[in-house]
Amino acid sequence: MDEKQSTIVIVSNRLPVKIVRTGKKSELIPGSGGLVTAFAPVLRDRGGIWIGWDGDASGQSHKKLFTKESTAIGYLLRPVSLTPLEVQLYYEDFSNGTLWPLFHDFLDRCQFQPETWDMYCSVNKKFAHAVANNSNPGDLIWVQDYHLMLVGKCCAELGIKRKTVFFLHIPFPPWDLFMRLPWCKEIIDGILHYDLIGFQTERDRWNFIRCVRRLFPGALVSGPQRSQLIEYDGRITRVGAFPISIDFEGFNQHASSQEVADEAWYIHERLPERKLVLGVDRLDYTKGILERLKAFEILLEKYPDIHDKINFIQVVVPSRTNVKEYQEMKCTIDETVGRINGRFTHHDWVPIHYIYRNVSRRELVAYYRTSEIALITPLKDGMNLIAKEYCASSVETDGVLILSEFAGAAQQMGKSSLLVNPFHVEAVADQLHKAYYMDEGERKSRMRKLRAEVRRNNIFRWMEHFLSAAGMPLPKPHSTSTDSSDD
Ligand code: ADQ
């Protein structure tokens, strides 16, 4: 590419769009996640590029489709095509079958197979080639997440001199777990080729530093805790914690809209005189769905005073539906819901409402707004945006957040929520009972603090902090929210 003004190049496993086929025609549907919301205005302003897999596991190229569509969304999308074998070994097996369980402390679920590691290295190289073909010296290359930890090193090996920075969305494990990975040294060495590494929490940053010290005793770690520098092999890498967040005002405004108010009213109208407890998760063993159902069962066993007066609404968003382990997990959840409902249902009261599908954004925000209690109890989670979205949508400011101490979000939201150990299901049941009877004054006081926290530390501020640490501060603030409190 020719030399031109520096831009931001986002590199992630998936592009923020989906290819949808209608008959013989294919078209792109833009994504709506938090990352797209945060990145889109900056990419548009600076004429940025997003590189990622197009999501088609057949290896078919869709370049023409992307060229046309990218003009319409205001920044360029550059697809990386993956063959079926690459998808299987790099994505399914190594990223999701080794790194995901290892980084979430599920060692017994990890598979360690050299051929999957080899494919991980080779696909990371493929992404580095895409960076080389779509960027200029002076551009900032911002790589996202655990699928692509080696892209910075691969770029260096290709002789591509760019500032490359990295953000890990999932937790970083403690060193004694991480060291079980046969390729642990190669991963740390790879990550140390980035100029800046961002983690969700201080605990993740600290775990990473411990691994560096163990595996590379010659590395020099210096600087204040919040912004440490690692000097190794002639390179300097900055390391920090940058807790990711959400578009607070986006959720707040949507939750205040008439369409959501109507939907929220409709949900509660069908369940009169009941308090609603809400759980929302992608189907995954890290989210603690079964433990949460068990906690709800104990609540019903132990506290008959709330029978008929409470409903648990568990939304499970389908995920990895082609993987046997996930299909089995879904069956176990189905059975557990059926068993608990079979045990406690009577007259017109069915205690658990179980939704297994993709709900619309309007429906999701309506559930957030109208549920008196959110039960967010992952066994381990990098951040957990549901917790933040619930608070931003709690416009009556009277919802109670019950939050796992093992979610990254607990670092900022722990004080004003009811913090629980999700493995201690009896204690979760007790906190649910406490939340049910919590008086209005305490509910409001806690929720106001939670909302103020998410409002202040929103996704735009996250972006500003990260880019500023990367040495590329934004020309003007992109934040849509102010620090003033309406609550
Ligand atoms: P996840 O584990 O996927 O991501 P999580 O933080 O739980 O993410 O957020 C899920 C997102 O999906 C939320 O923004 C939510 O609004 C959205 N969502 C939920 N139901 C939906 C539905 N039916 N349709 C569409 N969208 C829906 C990883 C890490 C997390 C980390 C995030 C961000 O595992 O710990 O918080 O990245 O860094």
Side-chain angles (χ1 to χ4, degrees):
M1 284 182 87
D2 297 334
E3 287 266 350
K4 62 174 181 60
Q5 192 209 341
S6 73
T7 60
I8 296 177
V9 180
I10 304 291
V11 189
S12 66
N13 174 56
R14 285 291 294 270
L15 281 173
V17 286
K18 260 191 196 157
I19 302 175
V20 178
R21 283 196 189 82
T22 35
K24 281 189 180 168
K25 267 183 73 182
S26 294
E27 59 173 337
L28 295 181
I29 307 283
S32 58
L35 277 192
V36 193
T37 313
F39 290 151
V42 180
L43 294 182
R44 273 189 212 116
D45 275 10
R46 303 186 77 113
I49 299 172
W50 197 317
I51 295 172
W53 174 37
D54 56 26
D56 185 338
S58 74
Q60 196 187 332
S61 170
H62 296 279
K63 277 196 176 130
K64 278 186 188 158
L65 191 65
F66 281 93
T67 310
K68 190 167 147 252
E69 183 66 22
S70 47
T71 330
I73 60 172
Y75 54 90
L76 296 174
L77 296 175
R78 288 288 176 255
V80 174
S81 299
L82 297 181
T83 66
L85 189 64
E86 285 172 334
V87 174
Q88 184 59 47
L89 299 183
Y90 142 80
Y91 179 65
E92 299 288 356
D93 294 343
F94 196 77
S95 298
N96 291 333
T98 304
L99 295 175
W100 177 266
L102 183 73
F103 281 40
H104 287 88
D105 305 354
F106 286 87
L107 190 60
D108 55 334
R109 289 180 182 261
C110 291
Q111 42 170 296
F112 299 123
Q113 292 161 353
E115 63 275 21
T116 67
W117 162 249
D118 290 344
M119 189 60 95
Y120 181 81
C121 297
S122 128
V123 172
N124 270 249
K125 254 182 223 153
K126 196 169 189 175
F127 274 81
H129 276 286
V131 170
N133 294 335
N134 292 289
S135 64
N136 294 290
D139 288 352
L140 179 75
I141 315 298
W142 187 355
V143 181
Q144 309 292 322
D145 229 355
Y146 62 104
H147 316 86
L148 301 172
M149 290 187 285
L150 306 180
V151 168
K153 182 177 183 188
C154 296
C155 283
E157 284 172 352
L158 289 174
I160 308 299
K161 291 199 174 62
R162 310 276 190 273
K163 183 176 269 193
T164 56
V165 297
F166 176 75
F167 184 76
L168 185 70
H169 291 259
I170 65 174
F172 196 89
W175 70 269
D176 51 344
L177 259 183
F178 184 71
M179 306 273 271
R180 315 286 174 95
L181 180 69
W183 309 280
C184 58
K185 205 163 177 183
E186 287 85 342
I187 297 240
I188 297 285
D189 175 60
I191 303 183
L192 286 177
H193 279 73
Y194 288 107
D195 298 288
L196 168 68
I197 310 166
F199 294 97
Q200 297 274 26
T201 66
E202 287 297 332
R203 186 175 50 197
D204 300 319
R205 185 191 57 75
W206 173 237
N207 284 344
F208 176 74
I209 297 278
R210 296 265 332 247
C211 288
V212 171
R213 286 201 161 119
R214 290 243 154 203
L215 290 163
F216 296 95
L220 201 67
V221 182
S222 63
Q225 278 213 348
R226 293 200 163 264
S227 175
Q228 275 179 315
L229 296 176
I230 302 175
E231 239 181 292
Y232 179 69
D233 202 18
R235 292 182 307 275
I236 296 180
T237 301
R238 184 176 292 278
V239 185
F242 303 86
I244 200 165
S245 193
I246 59 156
D247 175 9
F248 177 91
E249 279 310 331
F251 275 93
N252 187 38
Q253 282 167 17
H254 194 191
S256 310
S257 69
Q258 196 56 48
E259 62 160 12
V260 166
D262 291 347
E263 179 101 28
W265 177 85
Y266 183 76
I267 293 168
H268 237 129
E269 176 68 7
R270 296 284 171 123
L271 302 164
E273 310 295 318
R274 304 234 171 98
K275 286 198 174 170
L276 305 187
V277 177
L278 179 68
V280 180
D281 310 85
R282 205 165 40 72
L283 179 67
D284 197 90
Y285 51 83
T286 60
K287 301 293 181 183
I289 302 169
L290 278 170
E291 289 77 2
R292 193 178 313 153
L293 287 166
K294 183 72 197 153
F296 191 69
E297 182 176 22
I298 293 172
L299 173 83
L300 299 182
E301 262 170 24
K302 199 168 163 188
Y303 299 106
D305 52 301
I306 57 167
H307 285 198
D308 278 323
K309 298 182 196 155
I310 197 163
N311 275 110
F312 179 25
I313 298 174
Q314 174 65 56
V315 179
V316 177
V317 180
S319 169
R320 310 194 65 207
T321 45
N322 54 339
V323 177
K324 191 165 163 261
E325 201 186 356
Y326 282 68
Q327 291 162 358
E328 286 168 359
M329 200 187 334
K330 184 196 173 274
C331 286
T332 314
I333 293 170
D334 292 354
E335 281 166 19
T336 309
V337 170
R339 188 179 56 71
I340 299 172
N341 274 342
R343 223 182 129 189
F344 293 99
T345 296
H346 69 95
H347 303 305
D348 62 349
W349 181 56
V350 180
I352 304 175
H353 289 216
Y354 168 48
I355 302 168
Y356 176 76
R357 63 182 152 82
N358 263 299
V359 295
S360 69
R361 180 49 65 112
R362 189 193 67 238
E363 210 180 339
L364 182 66
V365 176
Y367 276 118
Y368 287 152
R369 175 174 168 167
T370 205
S371 299
E372 281 82 0
I373 300 166
L375 187 55
I376 299 178
T377 53
L379 305 179
K380 184 98 183 196
D381 216 334
M383 179 53 58
N384 195 297
L385 298 180
I386 304 289
K388 296 187 173 183
E389 292 170 2
Y390 173 70
C391 296
S393 308
S394 184
V395 288
E396 272 97 18
T397 67
D398 58 357
V400 181
L401 175 64
I402 301 179
L403 182 60
S404 162
E405 59 184 287
F406 306 121
Q411 307 266 310
Q412 302 128 52
M413 306 173 86
K415 274 195 190 144
S416 303
S417 55
L418 297 181
L419 213 53
V420 291
N421 170 356
F423 296 95
H424 191 347
V425 287
E426 291 80 8
V428 175
D430 291 341
Q431 291 296 63
L432 261 171
H433 193 251
K434 177 176 172 181
Y436 182 89
Y437 284 110
M438 190 181 283
D439 66 58
E440 192 185 357
E442 184 174 354
R443 278 186 277 133
K444 291 214 161 201
S445 154
R446 285 173 180 268
M447 185 45 77
R448 281 187 188 129
K449 287 182 194 145
L450 288 167
R451 281 171 61 83
E453 161 63 37
V454 184
R455 180 192 294 272
R456 188 168 50 250
N457 291 312
N458 58 53
I459 185 80
F460 303 103
R461 186 173 271 207
W462 172 79
M463 182 100 177
E464 283 163 24
H465 282 172
F466 191 89
L467 288 179
S468 157
M472 194 179 257
L474 292 173
K476 59 180 173 14
H478 280 85
S479 176
T480 57
S481 62
T482 63
D483 284 353
S484 71
S485 173
D486 62 348
D487 301 327

